[in-house]
């Protein structure tokens, strides 16, 4: 009687293979790094010790000028970009700011997107301070006819100023249709500019964007609004010379004061968690060279009672994301000096 030979196991050739000898690790793999190695890979700076050398408030509304020059948690405000409430500058406005040791880097004069101004004041001639333009973009500009006029007016502004601030009062960052309308506006307004004409575009009220604070962070990560925010941030960053201002958001809550370590639901800590969620995509898309700090919210919201609370939130949020000193200095002063014309 004959017996069938057993088939070899799958993956085995004729005969059995011996198990491989696992490589042995050197003892150095289990030893702490030497002093020289730790010097090559230093730990990030402690957030509580990371401060900008100085602060330029690049978004200071003229109705909040009396607070300019206040200490922001121990850091002096060395200068500001002044946003006027109306095109005419009140007599003595700049002189009053100088008495508070705040240097005005630039004066942003407002205009409406609904029509090209027939007569526009030039404050730089009388004050010697660089002038830029400032406007607001709202949901009313999304209709086709209104957008056509807004494109023409914005093209006029780009042709007559080296820098234009746009206060975005429409939720373009989470809404696809609103974003597409705004992107179309920017593309058409910049399309016919001469090749040698470089205009800086500075957007405010999109970092952080309008947001529902009741939405937990766990749900925010998977929420379509946050995914749209990531995509729209990356898309906007492709516009050359486009910057974003880090200004107080329209979150329908008062900006919280200093952190309270004894509280389980400390609002300062909760705001930082949300803020860092919105910083991440912007840092990845723009880098720290195109982010500018400011203390005034959109003109659609009341001015802040205590700008130091906002400064503390922003500084701590960036520091806890392990950015270095160069990034902190750029965001809080150097970027503003570079694009608004300061030395």
């Amino acid at each position: 009687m004959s017996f069938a030979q057993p088939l070899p196991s799958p993956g085995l050739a004729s005969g059995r293979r011996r198990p491989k000898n696992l490589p042995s690790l050197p003892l150095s793999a289990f030893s702490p790094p030497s002093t020289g190695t730790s010097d090559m890979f230093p730990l990030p700076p402690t957030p509580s010790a990371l401060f900008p050398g100085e602060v330029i408030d690049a978004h200071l509304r003229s109705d909040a000028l009396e607070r300019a020059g206040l200490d922001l948690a121990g850091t002096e405000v060395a200068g500001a970009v002044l946003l006027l409430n109306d095109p005419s500058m009140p007599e003595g406005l700049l002189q009053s700011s100088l008495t508070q040791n705040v240097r005005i880097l630039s004066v942003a004069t407002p205009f409406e997107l609904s029509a090209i101004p027939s007569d526009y004041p030039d404050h730089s001639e009388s004050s010697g301070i660089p002038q830029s333009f400032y406007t607001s973009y709202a949901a009313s500009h999304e209709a086709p006819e209104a957008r056509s006029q807004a494109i023409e007016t914005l093209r006029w502004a780009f042709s007559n100023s080296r820098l234009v601030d746009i206060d975005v009062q429409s939720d373009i960052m989470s809404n696809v249709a609103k974003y597409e309308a705004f992107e179309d506006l920017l593309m058409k307004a910049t399309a016919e500019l001469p090749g040698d004409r470089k205009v800086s575009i500075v957007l405010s009220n999109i970092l952080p964007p309008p947001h529902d604070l009741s939405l937990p962070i766990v749900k925010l990560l998977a929420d379509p609004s946050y995914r749209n925010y990531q995509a729209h941030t990356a898309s906007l960053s492709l516009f050359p010379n486009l910057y974003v201002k880090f200004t107080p958001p329209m979150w329908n809550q008062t900006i919280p004061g200093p952190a309270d370590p004894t509280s389980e639901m400390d609002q300062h800590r909760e705001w930082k968690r949300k803020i860092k969620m919105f910083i991440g995509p912007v840092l990845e898309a723009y880098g720290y060279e195109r982010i500018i700090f400011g203390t005034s919210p959109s003109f659609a919201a009341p001015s802040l009672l205590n700008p130091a609370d906002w400064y503390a939130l922003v500084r701590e949020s960036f520091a806890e994301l392990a950015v270095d000193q160069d990034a902190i200095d750029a965001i809080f002063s150097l970027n503003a000096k570079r694009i608004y014309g300061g030395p």
Side-chain angles (χ1 to χ4, degrees):
M1 183 168 57
S2 62
F3 296 94
Q5 295 295 323
L7 295 174
S9 300
L12 294 178
S14 59
R16 294 179 177 271
R17 289 183 178 178
R18 294 182 179 180
K20 293 182 178 180
N21 293 325
L22 297 177
S24 58
L25 295 175
L27 292 178
S28 59
F30 304 96
S31 303
S34 64
T35 303
T37 305
S38 61
D39 291 340
M40 293 172 60
F41 302 98
L43 293 174
T46 305
S48 60
L50 197 59
F51 287 84
E54 63 179 5
V55 173
I56 301 294
D57 186 349
H59 203 76
L60 178 64
R61 287 165 30 176
S62 56
D63 60 354
L65 188 59
E66 67 275 5
R67 292 193 298 275
L70 292 177
D71 247 17
L72 296 180
T75 303
E76 180 185 356
V77 177
V81 175
L82 184 63
L83 281 70
L84 299 180
N85 290 50
D86 58 72
S88 60
M89 185 160 53
E91 188 70 26
L93 183 64
L94 294 180
Q95 285 74 15
S96 66
S97 69
L98 295 176
T99 62
Q100 300 179 53
N101 299 318
V102 176
R103 181 172 177 272
I104 302 300
L105 292 184
S106 178
V107 174
T109 313
F111 67 95
E112 297 289 339
L113 287 174
S114 56
I116 296 176
S118 57
D119 184 24
Y120 207 76
D122 186 355
H123 300 301
S124 61
E125 291 184 355
S126 58
S127 66
I129 297 174
Q131 177 173 314
S132 58
F133 288 170
Y134 172 86
T135 192
S136 297
Y137 175 84
S140 59
H141 298 114
E142 293 165 0
E145 184 176 346
R147 188 160 76 247
S148 296
Q149 180 59 60
I151 291 170
E152 292 300 318
T153 307
L154 202 54
R155 186 179 292 130
W156 164 86
F158 290 157
S159 300
N160 289 276
S161 178
R162 61 187 179 81
L163 188 148
V164 177
D165 269 279
I166 304 177
D167 178 16
V168 182
Q169 298 177 7
S170 176
D171 189 11
I172 67 169
M173 300 308 288
S174 65
N175 186 293
V176 174
K178 291 179 180 293
Y179 174 77
E180 290 177 347
F182 183 75
E183 184 183 50
D184 178 72
L185 172 84
L186 287 185
M187 291 182 66
K188 291 179 177 177
T190 57
E192 298 180 8
L193 292 177
D196 58 346
R197 177 102 184 140
K198 294 183 179 180
V199 181
S200 296
I201 305 171
V202 185
L203 304 183
S204 57
N205 203 35
I206 66 169
L207 177 63
H211 171 66
D212 181 5
L213 278 172
S214 65
L215 186 67
I217 287 182
V218 176
K219 293 185 178 180
L220 176 63
L221 281 169
D223 194 83
S225 65
Y226 185 71
R227 294 178 180 271
N228 289 339
Y229 170 78
Q230 293 174 301
H232 298 166
T233 295
S235 181
L236 279 175
S237 71
L238 300 179
F239 282 91
N241 303 316
L242 189 144
Y243 300 78
V244 290
K245 279 186 178 177
F246 208 122
T247 53
M250 297 176 66
W251 285 359
N252 298 321
Q253 280 192 17
T254 303
I255 292 177
D260 181 6
T262 64
S263 173
E264 294 183 1
M265 287 298 294
D266 178 41
Q267 287 300 309
H268 184 92
R269 187 165 56 247
E270 290 300 313
W271 272 59
K272 275 199 301 184
R273 289 172 180 168
K274 290 291 181 72
I275 286 173
K276 287 188 285 188
M277 290 288 295
F278 292 114
I279 289 176
V282 175
L283 269 179
E284 183 178 353
Y286 289 84
Y288 62 79
E289 298 90 350
R290 292 199 282 165
I291 303 174
I292 306 168
F293 173 74
T295 63
S296 290
S298 164
F299 271 105
S303 60
L304 294 186
L305 296 177
N306 189 4
D309 292 338
W310 176 241
Y311 164 76
L313 277 169
V314 178
R315 186 199 66 79
E316 292 173 18
S317 296
F318 276 107
E320 290 174 10
L321 289 172
V323 300
D324 57 19
Q325 186 66 50
D326 289 343
I328 291 290
D329 288 334
I331 292 166
F332 284 95
S333 65
L334 299 182
N335 293 341
K337 284 184 174 182
R338 174 164 48 87
I339 72 163
Y340 283 100

